[in-house]
Each structure stands twice: as structure tokens, then as C-alpha cells.
Amino acid sequence: MSIKLKSVNFSYENHQVLKNVNIEFLPQKIHVLLGPSGGGKSSLLRLLNALMDPNSGDISYINTVYSQTHPKDIRKKIGMVFQKPALFDGTVYDNLIWSMKVQKLPIDKTKIENMLSQLDIPTDYLDKEIENLSVGEQQRICIVRTLLANPDVILFDEPTSALDPQRSKKVLELIKQINTQYQKTIILVSHDIDTAIDIADTVTFLHDGHVLFHGTKEHFLNSDNEIITNFKHGK
Amino acid sequence: MESNYISISNIALLGSIAFMLIVAFIAFLAKLGITKSIIIGTVRSFVQLLLMGYVLGFVFDMNKWYFTVLIVMIMFFFGAWDSYRGLKFKPKNIFYHSLSANFIGSFLPLAFLFYGLLQVTPWFNPQYIIPISAMVISNTMSGISICLNNYGNELKLRKNEVEAKLSLGASCTIAIENIQKSSIKAGLIPTINALMILGIVKLPGMMTGQILGGVSPVDSVRYQLVIMYIIAAATAISLYILTKLIQTSVFNKRGQLV
């Protein structure tokens, strides 16, 4: 059930963004990708969501080899929440049922209401127009919308970057809850160590396209690598 | 109606350049920085149209099908080329896409007009085929340019939305649907708006030309209406085809945005 990257290289506009990346993300854990901006974290996430393909190397999930599978089928198992909340015109309810409608799955309003209640989101939000929501609320709705598409793995690309500390905390709590309550594997990108480290099971540190560290949170916090130490101290 | 046609003499034609000198003078006075473009535009229009007048005279005299077809094909090609040059958004194969969309979109309504409604004989009669085709092709190409600019801007602004839709399991067609719709609308609106003001604010060029040529106003109106409707149909068909064709340029074979 793990996601494996083998010798993955990726270039964008003549710049090599990822260099020989070999990682395995174990199921039902929270994996946090850390590192300075431009290190390749978001590109890695976009490759995992099959929004782009690597130039060389393989990505696989269970028995699914990305290069041999249509991205649409990969995305049914691996969903993504973007940095900027991408809600569509209409109400919160319209947004939440969007993927079910597109994939022609049965729509169960009670299930949606139950999920909202479990995640501490008031059910009267359903009729709200999306433009009446704050950015934080929009991001939480994006998360629930992805969860309702029922993927095994959810990728988060800096979901708290536009939020203040209080709202960031709420979003991270929601992510943690999704991991424990719905047994989803989480891969979360952050450039800020303080926001994400608390909920992490493992940390992957990317610097200039290379994986400098991949292991448990505890090992990461004890790492004496100079670049990582500087990052931890905000340098 | 009795025809009392006044032709424009060479001196009158040269005299009309005075109007453009006024434009150039105002541009110079107001420091608009477009004086050079005005001069080039005036010279180009003078030479191009005069040349076209002689070419058309020759084609009319020859009365051969291949000359008519050649002129119409040249119009399609240069229309697409001119619009391509002014584009900021240039995805792969866009020149061929806009050429094909304009060709298919204009050809069908034109064929219906020429051989269904007007029953033009001989089938290549240049007096009808060339001017009417020119009006339809150029108007459709304007719609295509607006549509493409809108498509490029929307794709830039709404890339996040398109990728979020793909990520939620949508096909490329569904993910790009809103951008397609708004681009078709943007390209079609000038034509629809033109219909609204027709006869109130605007007496279109073709109708004016026919009236000057001695055709009765009511007959000119009939022609003008048919032309406006056919332009709307050709633009709508072309834009629909175009947006479907662009989809093959903005997504790769695996349905990823390129």
C-alpha cells in the first residue's frame, strides 16, 4: 500500500528540479516534506498526483505503475489539496458533491452531513455560497471535498501558507483527524517547520532537488546535517 | 430605384488621403506615438485595396473557377496568419487549429448560402463568392482572435481550478469546460451585439455599398441581414470547433496540462 519513487528525475524549463529521488511513503502515516522554497517539494507532490510525469525513473502505488496508468485512474486513489483554495462557483454543497457527480457516484447527503459533523464543520455551511467563506473556511471545504472523493492518499501542498497561526492550527488538526479517523495516508508539503512537524510521523527534507533526509520525525529533529540544522534554526 | 452612381476619380481618391493626414497630425500633436503606424496603415490599405481591386477585376473578367477558389483560399490563409501574428497565447499547432476552425466553420454556412439560398450560378461566380466569403472569413477570424486571447488569459488565471478538477477525477473536457464556454462567449458577443444595434446606430458597410451602387435600400437590407446571420453561424461553428481543437494542444496525451 506504499508509494514508491525510484530514481526519479524531473526537469522544468531546463532546470532540474528533482535529482535521483528514491523514497517510500508507508501507508496511513503523515509524511511531511520540508525544505527551503525551490527545493522541489511541490513538484514532487504534482508528480505524485500525476499532474506531471517524471523525465526518468518510476513512481508506483501498490501495483499501479504511474507510467503505465492513466492519470485519471491514479487520481482516484491519490487526491490533492492545493496551496490556494480552488473552490468552484456555487454553494459549499455543490463543491462537496462535485467529484461524485463527475465520477457518476451516488450522492448521499446524510453521509456528507455526518462527515462535516465529525470534522467539526457546521452543516449549515452546505448552503453557503463559496464567496461568503473566509480563506481558512474555503481551505477546509477543499479538504473535505477531496476526502469525499475517497482517495487512499491525500497530498497537501502548503495548505496553511495563506492562513494565520490560529486558522493554520485548525487546518492541521483537520488533517490529523482525517489521518486517524479515516486511515488516509497524508503527504504534506511545508516550508515552515513549526506548522507541520507536530503532526508528522516521518519527515523528508528536500534541498536543491536532492533528498537530504528521509526518516522519522525524531531522527530528523536530532539530525546534525548542517543544511538541516540551519533550516531548523530558520537560517 | 433609378441608379445615379457617382464614381470616385483619381483626384478625389488622392484627396481622401487628406483625412489620414489629419489623423497623423492629431497623433503627432497629442504625442500618441502612433504616427508611423498611421502612415504605414494608410499606405498599406491604399496599395493592398487598389491591388485587390485590379485582381478582382481580372478574376471577374477571366470567370474561371480556379481563380475564385484560389482567392478564397488565400483569404483563409492570410486571415489565419494575421490573427496568429497578433496572438499572445500560442499553444502548439494553434495556426493550423484556427485555420481549420475558420475553414470548416465558414465553409458549411457559405455553401448553404450560395447553393441553397442564393442558388449562385455558375457555382464559382466570383461576384458573389469572393465578397461574401471575405466578409464571413474576416469576421469569423476576428471572433477567433478574441476567443483565443480570452482562452489564454482564462487558462492563466484559472490553472489552479483546472488542476483541482483534474485532481478530483475529472476528464480534460470537464476540467476545461468553463474556459471553453467563456471563450466561445467572448468571441461571439461582438457579433451578437452588432445584431442589436443594426439599423439603429449602424448601417453596415455592405448595405451602404449596395445603396451607393444603386441597389434599393430594402434589397440591401435583405442582403445585409443574410450576411449578418451567416457571420454569426460561421463564428459560432468555428469557435466551437476551435475550442475543441485547442484542447488537444493544452493537454498532452495523458490528459496533463502542458
Side-chain angles (χ1 to χ4, degrees), chain B residues 7-204:
Chain B
S7 68
I8 292 182
S9 66
N10 287 342
I11 293 171
L13 183 61
L14 285 172
S16 70
I17 290 178
F19 295 120
M20 292 314 295
L21 289 176
I22 295 171
V23 180
F25 179 68
I26 290 173
F28 175 74
L29 204 67
K31 293 177 184 155
L32 300 182
I34 54 168
T35 314
K36 197 177 159 194
S37 302
I38 292 167
I39 294 168
I40 293 172
T42 309
V43 174
R44 267 189 69 170
S45 62
F46 196 89
V47 175
Q48 283 168 195
L49 266 182
L50 223 53
L51 206 65
M52 186 50 118
Y54 286 114
V55 170
L56 287 183
F58 172 76
V59 172
F60 283 19
D61 288 345
M62 290 289 114
N63 206 24
K64 298 282 187 215
W65 69 267
Y66 41 85
F67 280 124
T68 307
V69 171
L70 182 69
I71 295 276
V72 173
M73 288 303 146
I74 289 173
M75 284 172 179
F76 272 120
F77 185 83
F78 277 100
W81 179 248
D82 208 45
S83 127
Y84 173 77
R85 281 192 321 162
L87 285 176
K88 281 184 190 157
F89 172 62
K90 287 183 180 170
K92 199 176 74 180
N93 295 330
I94 194 62
F95 172 73
Y96 300 105
H97 289 338
S98 46
L99 182 64
S100 330
N102 193 356
F103 184 78
I104 301 166
S106 304
F107 182 79
L108 297 173
L110 280 171
F112 178 66
L113 174 72
F114 292 143
Y115 311 118
L117 302 179
L118 297 180
Q119 307 204 333
V120 170
T121 49
W123 66 268
F124 58 87
N125 189 339
Q127 185 192 348
Y128 290 90
I129 306 286
I130 293 175
I132 294 178
S133 299
M135 277 188 283
V136 172
I137 293 166
S138 65
N139 278 282
T140 305
M141 204 36 97
S142 303
I144 284 177
S145 295
I146 298 170
C147 172
L148 283 174
N149 278 329
N150 188 85
Y151 202 105
N153 292 338
E154 288 272 299
L155 192 59
K156 214 171 172 185
L157 282 172
R158 299 167 82 168
K159 190 182 175 202
N160 199 30
E161 179 189 317
V162 174
E163 289 195 330
K165 285 180 174 173
L166 290 174
S167 190
L168 286 167
S171 63
C172 307
T173 307
I174 292 173
I176 205 81
E177 199 180 30
N178 283 348
I179 293 179
Q180 285 182 341
K181 276 187 202 167
S182 87
S183 305
I184 294 177
K185 253 195 224 169
L188 203 52
I189 277 174
T191 309
I192 304 299
N193 285 347
L195 291 175
M196 307 281 185
I197 57 163
L198 216 55
I200 303 172
V201 189
K202 190 178 174 187
L203 290 182

Side-chain angles (χ1 to χ4, degrees), chain A residues 46 49-53 66-67 69-72 75 79-80 82 84-86 88 98-99 102-103 145-146, chain B residues 157-172 174-175 177-178 252-257:
Chain A
R46 290 167 66 79
N49 197 225
L51 290 170
M52 310 183 299
D53 289 328
Y66 273 40
S67 56
T69 314
H70 194 281
K72 214 175 134 188
R75 293 178 198 132
M80 179 154 165
F82 293 80
K84 198 174 140 204
F88 316 138
W98 202 88
S99 67
V102 163
Q103 294 181 40
R145 185 178 65 184
T146 304
Chain B
L157 282 172
R158 299 167 82 168
K159 190 182 175 202
N160 199 30
E161 179 189 317
V162 174
E163 289 195 330
K165 285 180 174 173
L166 290 174
S167 190
L168 286 167
S171 63
C172 307
I174 292 173
E177 199 180 30
N178 283 348
N252 63 19
K253 283 181 183 160
R254 283 173 50 80
Q256 297 158 320
L257 275 177

Side-chain angles (χ1 to χ4, degrees), chain A residues 124-137:
Chain A
D124 59 4
Y125 266 47
L126 285 175
D127 297 324
K128 276 195 178 183
E129 293 289 330
I130 54 130
E131 61 263 27
N132 296 330
L133 302 179
S134 69
V135 183
E137 287 168 334

